[in-house]
């Protein structure tokens, strides 16, 4: 599949065919592509927690769901059918260490130097690599977050050190019919609204947009 096809076909899938697991070669490929993501200073401050057994998945949902004793809602029922979860963890210290090296020289490890938390940015980019790889392999996927209040329980359940932040989770599987997100009703903001040319507020004009009124 061409890259543009994968980009255009990608959408978040929130229910999966429980009868079909993710082929092992695809799991390998997801991770191989994740580590191809760019990273500031080639710091590669990410870890990926792969959860595919029933035991691991039950532990994941029990530790992260808002109401462990209540009936799962439709979102959770759908997501719990995912045969594969990959938790994307960022590692800030690896960036601070990397940028304290002589070629960067930020030996004070001052976080105020960072335009934004690149450790989270890069880990998110790795997640996108997995989302696109899933589409390319004919599967569906979704990126979702773990509520901050649940981070301690999640860490405890999987021995994740406090130095790691769960940036998000990529669920993967063969798609089952699901309900599109109500968020999509807001529509995609067009390029002419979000892209500015030369100066903020001057809309970028795509090549196919006529610059003169026709006739
Ligand atoms: C950082 C991030 C966090 C997200 N968190 C959730 C989430 O917790 N639950 C969920 O169902 N979707 C989540 N999404 C998916 C968005 O709702 C989705 O990308 C958006 O509605 C556009 O739909 P599409 O990706 O299918 O085109 C998240 C997406 C991103 C990029």
């Amino acid at each position: 599949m061409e890259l543009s096809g994968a980009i255009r076909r990608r959408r978040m899938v929130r229910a999966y065919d429980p009868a079909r697991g993710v082929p092992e070669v695809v799991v390998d490929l997801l991770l191989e592509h994740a580590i191809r993501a760019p990273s500031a200073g080639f710091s590669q401050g990410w870890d990926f927690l792969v959860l595919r057994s029933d035991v691991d998945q039950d532990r994941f949902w029990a530790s992260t769901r808002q109401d462990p004793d209540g009936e799962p809602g439709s979102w959770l029922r759908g997501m719990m059918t995912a045969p594969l979860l990959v938790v994307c963890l960022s590692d800030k210290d690896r960036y601070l260490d990397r940028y304290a090296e002589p070629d960067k020289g930020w030996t004070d490890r001052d976080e105020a130097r960072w335009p934004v938390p690149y450790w989270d940015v890069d880990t998110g980019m790795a997640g996108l690599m997995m989302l696109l790889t899933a589409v390319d392999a004919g599967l569906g996927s979704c990126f979702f977050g773990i509520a901050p209040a649940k981070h301690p329980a999640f860490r405890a359940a999987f021995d994740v050190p406090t130095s790691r932040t769960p940036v998000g989770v990529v669920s993967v599987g063969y798609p089952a019919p699901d309900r599109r997100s109500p968020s999509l009703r807001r529509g995609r903001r067009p390029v002419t609204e979000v892209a500015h040319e030369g100066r903020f507020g001057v809309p970028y004009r795509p090549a196919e947009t006529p610059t003169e009124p026709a006739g």
Side-chain angles (χ1 to χ4, degrees):
M1 187 186 295
E2 293 295 323
L3 175 63
S4 57
I7 290 171
R8 285 171 187 273
R9 281 186 48 199
R10 188 210 59 74
R11 55 172 284 255
M12 298 302 184
V13 170
R14 298 180 178 85
Y16 301 89
D17 181 348
R20 300 177 75 191
V22 179
E24 287 188 4
V25 288
V26 175
V27 182
D28 292 349
L29 199 59
L30 290 164
L31 298 166
E32 285 295 334
H33 286 182
I35 66 168
R36 294 268 161 189
S39 64
F42 208 25
S43 302
Q44 304 166 76
W46 46 49
D47 293 272
F48 305 98
L49 179 66
V50 179
L51 306 175
R52 26 184 184 175
S53 72
D54 287 348
V55 172
D56 284 343
Q57 298 220 346
D58 289 349
R59 185 172 289 134
F60 174 82
W61 292 115
S63 65
T64 59
R65 58 187 284 192
Q66 302 283 1
D67 177 13
D69 301 319
E71 277 297 304
S74 62
W75 184 91
L76 188 56
R77 281 200 307 276
M79 294 303 284
M80 286 173 82
T81 59
L84 171 68
L85 301 171
V86 181
V87 187
C88 303
L89 304 163
S90 69
D91 181 358
K92 177 172 70 179
D93 289 335
R94 191 171 277 269
Y95 286 77
L96 300 184
D97 291 345
R98 166 69 187 97
Y99 275 70
E101 289 177 20
D103 62 325
K104 301 290 186 188
W106 294 0
T107 52
D108 58 9
R109 298 168 59 92
D110 183 356
E111 287 179 42
R113 291 178 177 277
W114 296 83
V116 295
Y118 280 171
W119 36 95
D120 296 335
V121 170
D122 295 351
T123 303
M125 290 200 193
L128 179 58
M129 293 300 222
M130 289 193 270
L131 297 178
L132 292 174
T133 301
V135 176
D136 191 41
L139 286 88
S141 59
C142 185
F143 186 97
F144 63 95
I146 300 174
K150 294 291 178 180
H151 287 191
F154 161 74
R155 285 200 182 93
F158 295 102
D159 297 335
V160 175
T162 51
S163 60
R164 304 302 200 275
T165 301
V167 170
V169 186
V170 178
S171 57
V172 186
Y174 287 94
D178 68 350
R179 198 172 63 95
R180 303 298 302 270
S181 166
S183 303
L184 294 174
R185 286 194 211 112
R186 65 184 53 238
R188 192 176 303 284
R189 296 176 66 202
V191 166
T192 48
E193 180 181 318
V194 299
H196 311 251
E197 176 133 14
R199 188 173 296 261
F200 193 92
V202 179
Y204 171 81
R205 286 171 181 269
E208 63 266 30
T209 303
T211 52
E212 302 277 335

